[in-house]
């Protein structure tokens, strides 16, 4: 380009030179002439770059706010700016192509995606650094995952939850636990025990770790779980919210298990279905909870022993684990069980056993032990059995089972009754909320549908009014009727009467003994004295 510019300045530039340049750059001759004209105005201009202008439109903060308001819709932003200019609230906007070019030039792809879809979409355009892999048991990551698979749990289709621990250095799944419904701290403790133990069937992965990463979940940060980590001398790294990239090992495992295992199971909830309203086939047979757990554990063994993740460069997780010379620290199964129990404080052992949560627990070892102070530890949600320790020495005394525990038939009957009550309540609530409104084609107040005649409305109001009065009326709530006008009533009593209501008529059996009211009649009251009492 500089050679052509020099030839043009020397007036030696011909059409042949321009044609050869256009053919070599695969552009038109008109484009080459435009580049030459721009280079004459500004020698630092690059070929193909648009001319810089001081009046060029750029994306202002107001344009950014409107982009966020309209979810990245540039045409909607242009209409909004045009409407504001018509109201005299700003300068007229440029054309839509100019607005598009300004947004593409002044905003990065991440900013455009963030204004349209939020922080999660913007994060897809970020660049993340990879952590050093470290050594085995250096850092673990843990997470809950709701499997997109429907399984049969006591006759009800549910989506189970998976809780697992994974080693960041070897990509090995060290521990896993499956819960039919929402997970809790019990799920975390069960998965932690299976991760730390190296005995069959958990080995060879395991041992005490140095650090674990969690994602601010209340189950992982509960008092019981954090106490267990403290006893095991494990550092808990609480990651900020909505930062899955900071624990990429377990997040990658969550994505891998769905595409490599869960998608092929019956009851997969995200399977493409035919028809406008896709639904699960009625003849589809779901897996039971036991079968699903067995298949998941088998896939976990395959992942650890046969799968070759890309970061391991042709090795399986078990090979990477065995090639690592880092020494392992083991914990006895009995001690680990104690560490992962929840402390419930001290109780007194009486002749009825141990009172815990308004229920009695007994055990065969309690004979002759009545009167000692004990400490209770238990597995969360497993309240049928507790572990008892001596309060002073900490010595393990033994387990205690729930006294007078209900049979399975009784528990099933209670659950069926509760489910029936819930269904009735839900049906009643839905019936009370079945209100229909008319469709509106112009601005108007909502019109409730359901026609009633005047007689029906009056009858319903009278019935409801009578019912409410009969339920709410109390003798001391309704004030007495006002006495006749010619009676001399103390002011303190007149304030407690209802004005305008006639006095009640006497009954028929007393009518013979009652004389007309008046000063000389028997119905007239006595003249009150100075204190207001009758004389």
């Amino acid at each position: 380009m500089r050679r052509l510019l020099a030839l043009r300045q020397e007036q030696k530039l011909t059409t042949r030179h321009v044609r050869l340049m256009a053919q070599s750059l695969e552009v038109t001759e008109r484009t080459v002439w435009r580049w030459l004209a721009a280079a004459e105005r500004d020698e630092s201009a690059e070929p193909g770059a648009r001319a810089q202008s001081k009046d060029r439109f750029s994306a202002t903060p107001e344009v950014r706010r409107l982009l966020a308001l309209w979810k990245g819709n540039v045409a909607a932003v242009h209409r909004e700016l045009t409407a504001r200019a018509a109201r005299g609230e700003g300068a007229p906007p440029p054309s839509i192509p100019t607005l598009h070019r300004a947004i593409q030039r002044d905003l990065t792809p991440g900013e455009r995606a963030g204004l349209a879809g939020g922080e999660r979409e913007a994060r897809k355009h970020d660049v993340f650094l990879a952590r050093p892999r470290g050594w085995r048991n250096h850092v673990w990551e843990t997470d809950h995952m709701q499997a997109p698979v429907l399984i049969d749990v006591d006759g009800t289709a549910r989506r189970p939850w998976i809780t697992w621990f994974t080693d960041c250095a070897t990509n090995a799944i060290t521990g896993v636990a499956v819960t039919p419904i929402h997970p809790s701290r019990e799920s975390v403790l069960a998965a932690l025990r299976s991760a730390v133990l190296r005995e069959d069937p958990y080995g060879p992965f395991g041992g005490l770790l140095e650090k674990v990463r969690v994602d601010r979940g209340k189950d992982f940060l509960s008092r019981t779980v954090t106490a267990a980590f403290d006893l095991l001398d494990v550092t808990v790294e609480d990651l900020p919210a909505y930062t899955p990239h900071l624990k990429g090992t377990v997040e990658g495992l969550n994505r891998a298990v769905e595409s490599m295992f869960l998608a092929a199971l019956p009851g997969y909830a995200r399977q493409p279905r035919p028809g406008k309203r896709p639904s699960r086939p009625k003849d589809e047979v779901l897996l039971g909870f036991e079968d699903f757990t067995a298949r998941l554990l088998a896939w976990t063994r395959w992942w650890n022993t046969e799968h070759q993740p890309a970061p391991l460069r042709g090795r399986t997780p078990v090979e990477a684990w065995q090639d690592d010379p880092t020494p392992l620290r083991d914990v006895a199964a009995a001690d680990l069980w104690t560490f992962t129990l929840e402390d419930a404080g001290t109780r007194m052992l009486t002749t009825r056993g141990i009172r815990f949560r308004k229920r009695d627990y007994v055990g065969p070892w309690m004979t002759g032990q009545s009167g000692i102070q004990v400490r209770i530890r238990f597995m969360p949600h497993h309240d049928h059995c507790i572990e008892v320790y001596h309060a002073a020495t900490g010595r393990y005394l033994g387990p205690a089972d729930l006294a007078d525990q209900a049979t399975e038939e009784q528990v099933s009957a209670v659950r069926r009754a509760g489910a029936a009550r819930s269904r009735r309540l839900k049906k009643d609530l839905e019936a009370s909320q079945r209100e229909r409104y008319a469709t509106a084609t112009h601005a108007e107040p909502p019109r409730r549908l359901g026609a009633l005649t005047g007689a029906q409305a009056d009858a319903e109001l009278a019935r409801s009014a009578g019912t409410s009065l009969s339920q709410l009326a109390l003798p001391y709530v309704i004030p007495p009727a006002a006495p006749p006008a010619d009676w001399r009533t103390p002011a303190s009593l007149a304030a407690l009467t209802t004005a305008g209501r006639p006095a009640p008529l006497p009954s028929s059996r007393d009518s013979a003994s009652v004389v007309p009211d008046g000063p000389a009649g028997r119905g007239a009251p006595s003249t009150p004295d100075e204190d207001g009492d009758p004389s």
Side-chain angles (χ1 to χ4, degrees):
M1 183 58 64
R2 293 181 180 177
R3 177 61 177 169
L4 292 180
L5 185 60
L7 291 175
R8 184 170 184 175
Q9 292 175 352
E10 296 173 1
Q11 297 182 353
K12 296 180 180 180
L13 181 65
T14 62
T15 306
R16 180 172 175 273
H17 293 128
V18 176
R19 184 182 303 111
L20 292 176
M21 177 63 71
Q23 292 176 356
S24 62
L25 296 178
E26 298 182 353
V27 295
T28 62
E29 296 181 18
R30 182 179 178 181
T31 301
V32 177
W33 286 112
R34 189 172 66 250
W35 289 350
L36 288 173
E40 287 182 348
R41 294 190 300 268
D42 185 6
E43 294 184 358
S44 61
E46 297 182 0
R50 290 186 175 269
Q52 303 291 330
S53 175
K54 296 181 180 179
D55 300 332
R56 185 181 66 179
F57 181 81
S58 59
T60 61
E62 183 63 22
V63 172
R64 291 172 178 264
R65 286 192 291 269
L66 291 177
L67 274 176
L69 175 64
W70 292 103
K71 303 298 182 183
N73 190 337
V74 180
V77 173
H78 187 269
R79 289 194 300 269
E80 182 73 19
L81 293 175
T82 303
R84 293 183 180 183
R87 297 193 300 266
E89 299 178 0
S95 62
I96 291 183
T98 302
L99 186 59
H100 267 288
R101 287 195 299 268
I103 292 174
Q104 292 283 341
R105 180 183 61 249
D106 298 339
L107 274 67
T108 63
E111 289 176 330
R112 296 195 299 270
L115 292 175
E119 178 64 26
R120 180 171 297 181
E121 295 298 326
R123 196 182 297 122
K124 296 180 180 179
H125 299 270
D126 294 343
V127 177
F128 304 104
L129 299 177
R131 288 193 181 97
R133 299 199 66 84
W135 52 91
R136 63 181 182 181
N137 285 349
H138 177 212
V139 179
W140 286 6
E141 292 178 357
T142 179
D143 195 14
H144 293 310
M145 174 195 176
Q146 188 178 21
V149 176
L150 293 173
I151 63 173
D152 185 7
V153 180
D154 293 336
T156 305
R158 299 183 182 275
R159 291 176 56 182
W161 285 79
I162 305 173
T163 305
W164 40 29
F165 287 82
T166 178
D167 182 63
C168 296
T170 62
N171 282 64
I173 301 175
T174 55
V176 61
V178 186
T179 311
I181 53 176
H182 296 286
S184 62
R185 59 189 185 276
E186 174 209 357
S187 308
V188 180
L189 296 176
L192 178 62
R193 280 197 301 271
S194 66
V196 174
L197 291 177
R198 294 201 304 134
E199 305 172 353
D200 290 336
Y202 307 111
F205 308 99
L208 287 180
L209 62 156
E210 299 180 22
K211 182 192 295 185
V212 61
R213 297 192 185 107
V214 299
D215 59 354
R216 204 175 284 271
K218 64 178 183 179
D219 300 328
F220 298 102
L221 298 179
S222 63
R223 181 179 58 185
T224 304
V225 175
T226 53
F229 283 133
D230 290 340
L231 291 173
L232 297 175
D233 195 18
V234 177
T235 303
V236 179
E237 183 178 357
D238 183 17
L239 301 176
Y242 304 105
T243 54
H245 59 281
L246 296 181
K247 53 182 184 67
T249 304
V250 71
E251 292 293 343
L253 178 61
N254 290 338
R255 294 189 297 268
V257 69
E258 179 176 357
S259 60
M260 301 174 67
F261 169 65
L262 299 177
L265 295 180
Y268 180 59
R270 298 173 184 168
Q271 184 71 29
R273 308 287 186 185
K276 296 182 179 179
R277 298 183 62 182
S279 59
R280 187 168 58 89
K282 296 182 180 179
D283 57 347
E284 185 177 21
V285 179
L286 301 179
L287 294 175
F289 177 74
E290 184 178 359
D291 192 6
F292 173 80
T293 305
R295 295 193 184 195
L296 179 64
L297 294 179
W299 181 85
T300 302
R301 287 190 294 270
W302 172 85
W303 173 277
N304 286 336
T305 58
E306 300 182 26
H307 180 57
Q308 298 176 351
L312 299 184
R313 299 179 181 180
R315 295 184 300 171
T316 62
V318 66
E319 292 174 348
W321 181 274
Q322 294 174 348
D323 293 342
D324 194 330
T326 305
L328 301 176
R329 297 180 300 161
D330 292 324
V331 181
D335 296 339
L336 185 61
W337 171 261
T338 303
F339 293 157
T340 54
L341 293 177
E342 185 169 341
D343 191 358
T346 59
R347 299 289 191 281
M348 179 65 68
L349 179 59
T350 65
T351 56
R352 297 181 56 182
I354 299 175
R355 190 71 174 175
F356 175 56
R357 291 182 176 178
K358 300 181 180 180
R359 297 184 294 184
D360 295 324
Y361 290 80
V362 296
W365 55 270
M366 294 182 180
T367 303
Q369 300 283 348
S370 177
I372 64 173
Q373 195 82 3
V374 296
R375 178 171 293 275
I376 298 176
R377 300 181 68 90
F378 69 101
M379 172 60 64
H381 308 291
H382 288 253
D383 51 2
H384 61 280
C385 181
I386 59 175
E387 304 292 337
V388 185
Y389 298 80
H390 198 280
T393 63
R395 180 172 57 88
Y396 177 65
L397 299 178
D401 297 320
L402 180 64
D404 193 19
Q405 186 172 356
T407 62
E408 289 294 335
E409 292 77 8
Q410 292 174 323
V411 174
S412 300
V414 171
R415 291 176 178 173
R416 287 195 301 269
R421 183 180 64 253
S422 300
R423 287 194 298 268
R424 288 195 303 269
L425 179 59
K426 182 179 179 181
K427 186 177 180 180
D428 294 339
L429 293 177
E430 290 178 351
S432 64
Q433 297 176 357
R434 288 174 184 171
E435 294 184 353
R436 299 292 187 268
Y437 290 86
T439 304
T441 56
H442 57 277
E444 62 177 356
R447 292 186 294 111
R448 186 182 287 106
L449 298 179
L452 282 177
T453 64
Q456 290 176 335
D458 293 339
E460 182 65 25
L461 290 176
R463 182 165 54 252
S464 61
T467 303
S468 61
L469 288 177
S470 63
Q471 293 177 350
L472 297 179
L474 296 175
Y476 59 89
V477 174
I478 302 177
D486 54 350
W487 282 26
R488 298 178 60 183
T489 306
S492 59
L493 296 179
L496 301 177
T497 60
T498 303
R501 292 184 56 188
L505 295 176
S507 59
S508 58
R509 64 181 181 180
D510 296 334
S511 59
S513 60
V514 177
V515 298
D517 296 336
R522 294 180 58 187
S526 302
T527 302
D529 57 10
E530 295 180 356
D531 297 333
D533 297 330
S535 58

